[in-house]
Amino acid sequence: RKEQEVDSKDAIILHQFSRPNNGVPSLSPFCLKMETYLRMADLPYQNYFDGKLSPQGKMPWIEYNHKKVSGTEFIIDFLEEKLGVNLNKNLGPHERAVSRAVTKMVEEHFYWTLAYCQWVHNLHETRKMISVYGPFSDLLKWILCHLTKGIVKREMYGHGIGRFSEEEIYTLMEKDMRSLAGLLGDKKYIMGPKLSTVDATVFGHLAQAMWTLPGTRPERLIKGELINLAMYCERIRRKFWPEWHHDDDNTLYESEESSEASKTHSPLQDFSFYSRTETFDEEGTENSISHTPDTDYTGHSLFDSDVDMDDCRDQEQCK
């Protein structure tokens, strides 16, 4: 197929895997991380789902003024240098060090346990989410999934984590998730009341457990015992992905009223420039208490850090 010429003059072109058919933006934690970061930083971008890997064989990658950059860490460094954005400007040296340590735990350890669950143990469910069209779509999806399964198992073995048993891999996953839950606590974001780059990383990975692994141990854990992680994911999804909704939105993280409203969201767009400027309403004034589908009887947001997690669990049990 003849490659399409991309004009990236003063425009961020984001190359990533195609959208799955279950409403989630991406089955790749790194693609979701990168697109979420662009929305957090309020940087207009255009998606390209051409399946073309970067010169380093990476996905996602960007083009900006005909410069190609791959690897999410290098992409973020590049955008900070070229466009002056910095989500970490409120972090001190110690917080920056903690943020990087958390990022590496998530990307270099937790990621592989997710990949195992997606592409090895829960492959039959992942195959249903992949978007492939045409007369041989079922065959192509079967081939794609089993090729990916072989690649993941080989790379996990080389990493070392793939040499453990299934139960041991899930034990490592649970330890990582509990560490994230403990670090988050009752805060709004990982590093405190304000967003930072690590939130894009953590969200991109936890969203896979939240929305792409039905019936699995990580889904049961995040929607059960580690409820603060589920509320964290919902908080970011609502703020930066207003068009993303899920068939199971009517959960304890959302009232019946808002679950009906969420069904009116427009579908995720494939090819379009996106900017969140003037798209989201900023939080209301501190002195006003408005009752919305996302607030309790006190006016507290169900997704903000001022909600008592124990009270939330007690209310759900009363239901």
Side-chain angles (χ1 to χ4, degrees):
R1 186 178 63 181
K2 184 177 180 180
E3 291 187 4
Q4 180 181 2
E5 291 293 329
V6 178
D7 183 8
S8 63
K9 186 177 185 305
D10 297 327
I12 300 171
I13 307 298
L14 176 61
H15 296 262
Q16 60 170 312
F17 297 116
S18 59
R19 303 282 195 211
N21 58 22
N22 66 332
V24 177
S26 181
L27 295 177
S28 164
F30 291 97
C31 289
L32 184 53
K33 166 194 174 179
M34 196 64 249
E35 192 168 1
T36 301
Y37 172 84
L38 292 171
R39 293 181 175 218
M40 287 178 172
D42 196 12
L43 295 175
Y45 64 94
Q46 185 174 9
N47 275 315
Y48 269 71
F49 301 99
D50 51 9
K52 180 183 177 183
L53 299 177
S54 71
Q56 293 83 10
K58 290 279 192 178
M59 189 76 89
W61 57 286
I62 68 162
E63 292 180 83
Y64 182 77
N65 285 338
H66 306 290
K67 170 75 172 178
K68 299 178 181 179
V69 186
S70 67
T72 56
E73 184 173 356
F74 293 114
I75 293 173
I76 291 172
D77 290 344
F78 173 81
L79 294 176
E80 287 182 351
E81 179 184 352
K82 294 294 182 181
L83 302 178
V85 296
N86 187 0
L87 295 182
N88 297 329
K89 59 185 177 182
N90 295 308
L91 301 183
H94 175 74
E95 293 171 314
R96 289 173 183 264
V98 172
S99 176
R100 179 164 177 80
V102 172
T103 297
K104 293 302 111 179
M105 179 193 76
V106 170
E107 294 185 345
E108 305 296 342
H109 193 266
F110 182 50
Y111 163 77
W112 290 109
T113 63
L114 284 174
Y116 176 83
C117 194
Q118 277 185 317
W119 297 104
V120 180
H121 186 230
N122 208 42
L123 185 63
H124 61 288
E125 290 293 339
T126 302
R127 186 169 64 188
K128 298 176 185 177
M129 302 175 193
I130 296 176
S131 297
V132 177
Y133 303 100
F136 304 106
S137 59
D138 289 339
L139 176 61
L140 290 174
K141 285 201 288 187
W142 187 92
I143 294 173
L144 174 62
C145 285
H146 282 77
L147 284 174
T148 305
K149 176 181 178 180
I151 293 171
V152 168
K153 290 182 71 175
R154 184 176 68 248
E155 292 188 350
M156 287 184 67
Y157 190 85
H159 177 278
I161 199 170
R163 305 183 188 218
F164 298 113
S165 68
E166 178 181 299
E167 181 61 32
E168 289 171 328
I169 291 174
Y170 276 116
T171 297
L172 294 174
M173 171 186 280
E174 184 173 331
K175 287 183 177 181
D176 288 345
M177 293 180 69
R178 290 186 184 280
S179 296
L180 290 173
L183 180 63
L184 176 64
D186 61 356
K187 300 194 299 293
K188 190 170 185 178
Y189 300 112
I190 294 295
M191 300 308 298
K194 294 187 178 181
L195 281 164
S196 59
T197 302
V198 71
D199 289 298
T201 303
V202 174
F203 174 74
H205 288 72
L206 286 180
Q208 308 304 319
M210 183 84 172
W211 290 294
T212 74
L213 299 173
T216 61
R217 287 172 60 177
E219 186 200 50
R220 292 194 299 270
L221 192 60
I222 195 173
K223 293 182 178 180
E225 186 178 350
L226 306 182
I227 194 71
N228 65 331
L229 294 182
M231 296 175 73
Y232 168 81
C233 288
E234 278 289 350
R235 189 177 303 132
I236 293 179
R237 185 187 75 158
R238 290 174 178 234
K239 186 172 181 62
F240 298 103
W241 292 92
E243 75 278 33
W244 169 11
H245 66 282
H246 193 265
D247 292 339
D248 297 329
D249 274 350
N250 190 13
T251 67
L252 74 94
Y253 325 111
E254 181 173 56
S255 69
E256 293 181 1
E257 295 176 63
S258 61
S259 68
E260 290 298 320
S262 69
K263 295 176 183 177
T264 63
H265 288 316
S266 59
L268 294 171
Q269 298 298 312
D270 283 353
F271 292 87
S272 62
F273 277 97
Y274 177 90
S275 173
R276 74 181 187 94
T277 303
E278 299 180 353
T279 300
F280 310 108
D281 293 330
E282 293 300 322
E283 298 176 359
T285 58
E286 295 178 356
N287 297 327
S288 64
I289 297 179
S290 59
H291 293 276
T292 72
D294 298 341
T295 59
D296 62 14
Y297 65 93
T298 66
H300 288 155
S301 170
L302 298 177
F303 311 104
D304 284 344
S305 58
D306 55 1
V307 176
D308 190 302
M309 302 303 297
D310 292 330
D311 290 346
C312 179
R313 295 191 187 96
D314 292 339
Q315 290 173 13
E316 179 58 17
Q317 291 173 358
C318 290
K319 288 184 181 179

